[in-house]
Amino acid sequence: MTHRSNRFTGLLLASALAVISTSAAAQPQGDAQAGKIKAYTCLGCHGIPSYVMVYPTFHVPRLGGQHEQYIIDALKAYRDGKRSFPTMEAQARSLSEQDMADIAAYFSGLDSKN
Amino acid sequence: MKSIFKILAAATVLAAFQANAADPQAGKKIAENVCGACHGVDGKSENFPAYPMLAGQYPDYIVHALKGYQSGARQNPIMGGIVGNLSEQDMRNVAAWYASREPGVEDTPDE
């Protein structure tokens, strides 16, 4: 019985480790320099102060200094259909997770306080 | 007679404008009671990298995002639950509050 429960504990530990290593691998490290180049398209809308979207009419959000993790989450939500906005869905679907991490690193570093 | 109509028209326009005007102080109360726990009352959310900084964000974008959570255009379990209690006027008020804070987010520089 003890033997069996030991084996069970071992299995649990192994699967926990597998989950941890998978989630660590799932998020690539962002490179702001690479992100600067990849963000070229983004800046067509997000780089222009007071740029306004039409139908519906609102300002394109400011991204300078925004949290890196939030930018990645938002891009994934557009990619996965959890946020609907045609332009952003199309953009997000063209990006790899490495691209998202790089772009997020770039925008989060654009902060006049840095 | 014509001038009465002019005054009436002006009063109507003024009333409509005031009904739509955002009140940042009313918004501050919403920030304190609802949004602040995650986003910070001043919109900085410094300890929560998954929650966006709202300080200095465009107010009409904040309203757009909130309406999206309400309509289902944006699906997020936390925000979906929270916006259910907000009227459109509440959204405008709280957006005006966060937009008026010392910026956490900024326009990207022209390079």
Side-chain angles (χ1 to χ4, degrees):
Chain A
M1 186 60 196
T2 328
H3 201 71
R4 267 181 74 184
S5 71
N6 271 349
R7 192 190 286 170
F8 184 65
T9 314
L11 263 174
L12 259 183
L13 262 175
S15 50
L17 273 174
V19 168
I20 290 166
S21 57
T22 321
S23 58
Q27 188 139 312
Q29 193 69 29
D31 174 349
Q33 281 307 310
K36 184 175 181 177
I37 298 161
K38 293 173 181 177
Y40 180 78
T41 316
C42 318
L43 293 170
C45 293
H46 289 281
I48 304 171
S50 294
Y51 191 90
V52 174
M53 276 292 165
V54 272
Y55 310 118
T57 306
F58 61 91
H59 281 92
V60 176
R62 295 180 164 121
L63 295 180
Q66 186 56 275
H67 292 310
E68 205 169 334
Q69 185 60 52
Y70 169 70
I71 296 175
I72 294 170
D73 291 348
L75 285 169
K76 286 183 181 170
Y78 285 118
R79 180 196 65 190
D80 300 339
K82 289 181 176 164
R83 274 195 193 191
S84 110
F85 195 78
T87 314
M88 284 307 301
E89 285 169 55
Q91 291 299 329
R93 282 175 191 144
S94 76
L95 300 173
S96 70
E97 299 210 348
Q98 183 67 57
D99 295 338
M100 292 178 180
D102 293 345
I103 289 168
Y106 171 66
F107 278 115
S108 70
L110 293 178
D111 186 340
S112 60
K113 294 180 285 302
N114 281 346
Chain B
M1 192 62 187
K2 258 186 184 172
S3 62
I4 290 175
F5 277 121
K6 273 185 190 165
I7 290 166
L8 268 176
T12 312
V13 169
L14 194 66
F17 181 75
Q18 283 179 332
N20 286 321
D23 176 354
Q25 285 309 311
K28 183 186 182 185
K29 291 200 180 74
I30 299 170
E32 285 168 346
N33 295 324
V34 187
C35 325
C38 294
H39 292 282
V41 175
D42 283 323
K44 291 284 171 65
S45 64
E46 272 149 344
N47 300 321
F48 299 107
Y51 304 139
M53 278 196 265
L54 301 177
Q57 190 54 274
Y58 288 112
D60 53 351
Y61 171 72
I62 297 178
V63 171
H64 164 79
L66 289 169
K67 283 184 179 171
Y69 291 116
Q70 205 164 57
S71 73
R74 286 188 178 201
Q75 292 161 35
N76 179 281
I78 303 171
M79 287 305 297
I82 281 170
V83 291
N85 300 321
L86 297 180
S87 70
E88 195 167 332
Q89 186 65 49
D90 289 338
M91 292 178 184
R92 275 196 292 266
N93 292 345
V94 78
W97 167 255
Y98 278 124
S100 72
R101 299 297 84 204
E102 185 211 2
V105 284
E106 303 169 17
D107 288 314
T108 43
D110 213 5
E111 289 183 56

